[in-house]
Structure formats: structure tokens, C-alpha cells
Amino acid sequence: MKAQPWRRGEMLMSTIVESRDGSTAEGGGVRAVTRAFEVLQSFTADRPVLSVAEIVRESGLPRTTVLRLIDTLVGERMLRHAADGRITVGARLIRLAAFAEAAWAVPEETAERMTRLAQETGETASLYVRSGLRRVAVAQSPSPYSLRHVVQVGDEMPLLAGASSTLLAAASGPDAAEQVLASASADEIRRVDADAFRAAVAAAARDRHAVSHGAREPGNSGVAVIVREGDDRRPAVVLGLGGPTARFTEERVAMFLEALEAAASDLRHTGLPPALD
């Protein structure tokens, strides 16, 4: 269940600045910081070395802006020039990634409890927290089957689709659904049925759990329960199971919910990542 430090670094950057969700304040200084994080978020664990053109494409920023930001980030040792002329991560960013690894790692007992949940149900168990208009996986234990839902620690998914996303919105407060819809981009709004989303969030708030079939992608289902409600100080946290829809029959979903509730109760005692406390 242990993630690579670089993926923990991605989680740290996503939590510090949620610029793509429109939550960043206006102003020259803040905008510069936001754009610097957009450059940094162009890098991934699979693509730690990028050309300037690739950074421009991934960040969506003008080339001249990217070049200025690269110079600044290289000077701050957040990035560095690779031998082939491309750009890669610097020593200071690696230091931040190591910090994020410690801040976001779940306690050993929590990791073991999630492993037991995955073995008991046969489905991938994931712990999610809300970050702007996305849910972020902060812990994960894979299904023992070869055909399974694949998610890695640090993965981000839209908050507008899926059982865990719906429940995170429901656990974030009574006005969360409207706030999410108001903050979503035009492209995101085009891909979602707003009334259906409102209804799903209302049902999740009432039932204290959520179930979805093919909401995020065809053939994939999910079930989720609340670990902790969100407030002004701490984000909501949910525990979910994901897997092939063929295995999420009505009978098995009932069993999954029972197993999830028991595991969520245990997780409230074994603890969450330090960054969530």
C-alpha cells in the first residue's frame, strides 16, 4: 500500500493549490504561485522528465510564461535541467515529496485493516479525501483478483461521478452539491446531469452510503461509506470498494456495505494520515 514519494508529492501540490478548480484568489503574486504549481503538476511519476513543449501542452500556459517559470523553479532547485536539455525534478522538490510521504502515510494498523477488507470482499479498497472538485486516493489495498479496479495512491478523479465522489460531496455539508456544480467548468457541466447529481448527493446524505454502476466508466461499480464528515477544519473522508459491475450484485453490495461499515468504524480508531488530522 505504500506509494512512491513522488506520488505523495503530487498529493501535496494538489492540496496546497487547487488552481484548476478556480479556487485560487486573484492577484499578481498569487497567480504567479498558481502558475508555478501548474508547471510542477505537468510532471508525473511516469513522466519525470519533460521538454519545454510538453510542459506548455500539459500546463496550458503560454510558452514565454513557462520559460520564465522554469528559470525561477530551477533557481529555487525545484526543477533542474537534464543532460539532454529537457527539464526534470530538482532536489528541493524531492525533499517536499519526502515530507508528503510522511504527512500522508496511513498508520500501519489502518493499512492492515484495509488489506483485510480487500481480502474479505475481493474488491479494491480505497480511502478518499476531497480536494477541490476532485477526490484523491490517500490509501489503497488492491483486490486479490486479476480483474479488478485499479487505483493508486495520489490518483485524482472527478467529484461529479462515482459512489465515493457522491458521498464526499454529501459529507462536505448541506450546500456541497450546489457548490460543486457552481465551481465546475463548462466542460465538466456538459458531461454530467446536474439534477441527477443533486439527487445522488441527497440520497447519499440520507442513506450515509452510496452505490454507483458505470457512473465513471462502463463496467465499473463502486460502494462507499463515510469515515468522517467534513468541516471548516478537516476534509471529509470516505472508504470505498471498486470493481467490475458483474461482481456488484444486489446481494454482494449488501455484504460490501456491512464490511465497509465495520472497517470504517475500525479506521476511526486506528487513525488517518497525519495531514488529515
Side-chain angles (χ1 to χ4, degrees), residues 22 44 48 50 60 70 83 86 98 103 106 127 143 164 166 168 176 188 190 195-196 198 222 231-232 244 256 273 275:
T44 68
L50 298 173
I70 288 174
R86 294 186 295 168
V106 295
L127 195 66
S143 162
S164 293
T166 300
L168 276 172
E188 289 171 322
R190 281 195 295 270
D195 288 337
R198 291 186 184 97
D231 54 35
D232 293 338
F256 291 161

Side-chain angles (χ1 to χ4, degrees), residues 90-172:
R92 184 168 289 180
L93 189 58
I94 293 172
R95 177 174 174 271
L96 282 176
F99 158 66
E101 169 73 8
W104 286 96
V106 295
E108 184 176 351
E109 289 184 357
T110 294
E112 291 174 351
R113 184 63 181 89
M114 291 184 63
T115 297
R116 293 202 306 274
L117 175 64
Q119 293 294 325
E120 175 187 353
T121 61
E123 305 302 342
T124 297
S126 304
L127 195 66
Y128 292 103
V129 63
R130 178 179 173 179
S131 179
L133 290 182
R134 287 166 175 75
R135 59 174 153 121
V136 183
V138 297
Q140 177 267 339
S141 186
S143 162
Y145 297 117
S146 56
L147 180 59
R148 62 192 180 195
H149 177 60
V150 178
V151 63
Q152 297 183 14
V153 171
D155 282 353
E156 297 184 4
M157 283 152 276
L159 203 64
L160 289 165
S164 293
S165 291
T166 300
L167 195 59
L168 276 172
S172 298

Side-chain angles (χ1 to χ4, degrees), residues 190-203:
R190 281 195 295 270
R191 288 179 289 165
V192 69
D193 182 329
D195 288 337
F197 176 71
R198 291 186 184 97
V201 172

Side-chain angles (χ1 to χ4, degrees), residues 9 16 30 61 116 121 130 132 136 139 147 151 154 159 174 183 185 204 223 232 237-238 247 257 275:
I16 292 174
V30 173
L61 297 172
R116 293 202 306 274
T121 61
R130 178 179 173 179
V136 183
L147 180 59
V151 63
L159 203 64
S183 301
S185 67
V223 182
D232 293 338
V237 181
V238 305
R247 294 205 295 260
L257 283 170

Side-chain angles (χ1 to χ4, degrees), residues 196-221:
F197 176 71
R198 291 186 184 97
V201 172
R206 180 192 66 234
D207 300 337
R208 310 287 297 168
H209 68 260
V211 180
S212 67
H213 300 290
R216 197 167 61 83
E217 59 184 32
N220 188 67
S221 292

